[in-house]
Amino acid sequence: MRLRVRPAALLLAAALLGASGCDSAGSGPQPPPPGRGDGPTATVFGAAAPAQPDFGDPQPATLGLKFTTSVAGAVTGVRYYRSAANGGHHVGALWDGQGKQLASVDFPDTGDTGWVEAAFSAPVPIRPGQTYTVSYLAPSGHYAATPEAFAGGPVVTASGPLTAVGSAYAPGNRSAFPDQTHGTAQYWVDLAFTPDPDAATYLPGPVFTPATYWSRWPGTAVWRSGTTLPVGVWLQDPTRPAVGGGANLGESFARVGVNTLVGLWDWPKDEHGQTAAAKAAGLAVLA
């Protein structure tokens, strides 16, 4: 079976490899510079400019930036850095992690260079901790690119809640989900993001606060308050005599704020009374 390689992909690869070979001695991969994180709108790159506004590849392509946010909010538009040779009708888009298009916008053909921005018809809410892609179609090529920008992995910039996690592209003269990569290059695509001022900062891991989340497990009634987190101790026997108050160790744990037993001193079984003692003290058990 023969594998077909698209010419656009070859040209892109050749251009990137050629540029990385021309780096001056001792210069390593440069991470994306910090964007603006203060004020009502956040971006990844802010006013920073690429060293190569025109990478020289004449083939049409959709260029994308993968990103996450640490707080809830809405994407209001798309930005990209335009060279004078990057002509034609540009289309911006926002995609979810599965490649579903969430919004698109046509850029006005003004001929401006540098950062250009177009707003969606309506803000698009996004969730913290999820990966999204913002993209634009460069129908004449000649886009900006920086090789090896993500060589060190995701880049946490000083842009408030936004984190750039990688880039991708799709060859062709129609806007498409960027699902191909070449090394760790990035293409100077950006977004305008408005954080929700009332949203809490996202921390990786399960979402503990909504009562509806914990209601899926009958044994977690103690966690269903919107302000309660699991606080646990490991391998304890709640039937042991208490020291310093309480009928047993289970009640003593409950008094100091523990609400969960992670495992028990013996394998959970009804005859030893540990599960009953935990239940009587209002403690959940992860066995």
Side-chain angles (χ1 to χ4, degrees), residues 101-273:
Q101 188 179 97
L102 303 178
S104 66
V105 61
D106 295 321
F107 283 85
D109 298 327
T110 62
D112 292 343
T113 57
W115 284 109
V116 293
E117 183 172 332
F120 295 133
S121 59
V124 182
I126 61 173
R127 298 173 56 190
Q130 305 295 312
T131 300
Y132 297 88
T133 299
V134 63
S135 71
Y136 84 99
L137 169 67
S140 302
H142 294 282
Y143 45 82
T146 300
E148 301 185 68
F150 293 100
V155 177
V156 180
T157 70
S159 56
L162 300 175
T163 297
V165 298
S167 290
Y169 74 96
N173 58 7
R174 292 187 178 183
S175 178
F177 177 60
D179 60 356
Q180 300 185 35
T181 59
H182 176 77
T184 55
Q186 69 97 350
Y187 306 110
W188 293 88
V189 194
D190 203 348
L191 65 146
F193 175 71
T194 302
D196 181 348
D198 298 322
T201 299
Y202 169 79
L203 297 176
V207 179
F208 293 125
T209 52
T212 54
Y213 180 87
W214 296 114
S215 65
R216 292 184 287 174
W217 294 279
T220 59
V222 69
W223 301 340
R224 294 183 193 176
S225 164
T227 59
T228 301
L229 300 177
V231 178
V233 293
W234 182 54
L235 291 182
Q236 296 295 317
D237 180 353
T239 67
R240 291 176 55 191
V243 176
N248 55 39
L249 194 57
E251 289 190 6
S252 295
F253 284 142
R255 288 189 178 191
V256 298
V258 172
N259 56 28
T260 307
L261 300 180
V262 184
L264 294 170
W265 186 248
D266 193 7
W267 186 260
K269 49 190 176 183
D270 293 337
E271 57 264 31
H272 62 28

Side-chain angles (χ1 to χ4, degrees), residues 5-132:
V5 180
R6 296 180 180 177
L10 287 175
L11 283 172
L12 179 66
L16 289 171
L17 288 172
S20 62
C22 295
D23 288 344
S24 60
S27 62
Q30 298 299 310
R36 64 179 190 262
D38 54 345
T41 302
T43 69
V44 175
F45 301 118
Q52 291 180 285
D54 179 358
F55 208 71
D57 181 6
Q59 297 298 313
T62 300
L63 297 316
L65 174 76
K66 298 181 182 294
F67 70 94
T68 63
T69 173
S70 60
V71 299
V75 178
T76 58
V78 183
R79 315 169 67 228
Y80 73 95
Y81 199 93
R82 182 180 179 274
S83 70
N86 187 348
H89 184 70
H90 301 80
V91 179
L94 177 68
W95 315 80
D96 68 11
Q98 288 69 50
K100 176 184 177 182
Q101 188 179 97
L102 303 178
S104 66
V105 61
D106 295 321
F107 283 85
D109 298 327
T110 62
D112 292 343
T113 57
W115 284 109
V116 293
E117 183 172 332
F120 295 133
S121 59
V124 182
I126 61 173
R127 298 173 56 190
Q130 305 295 312
T131 300
Y132 297 88

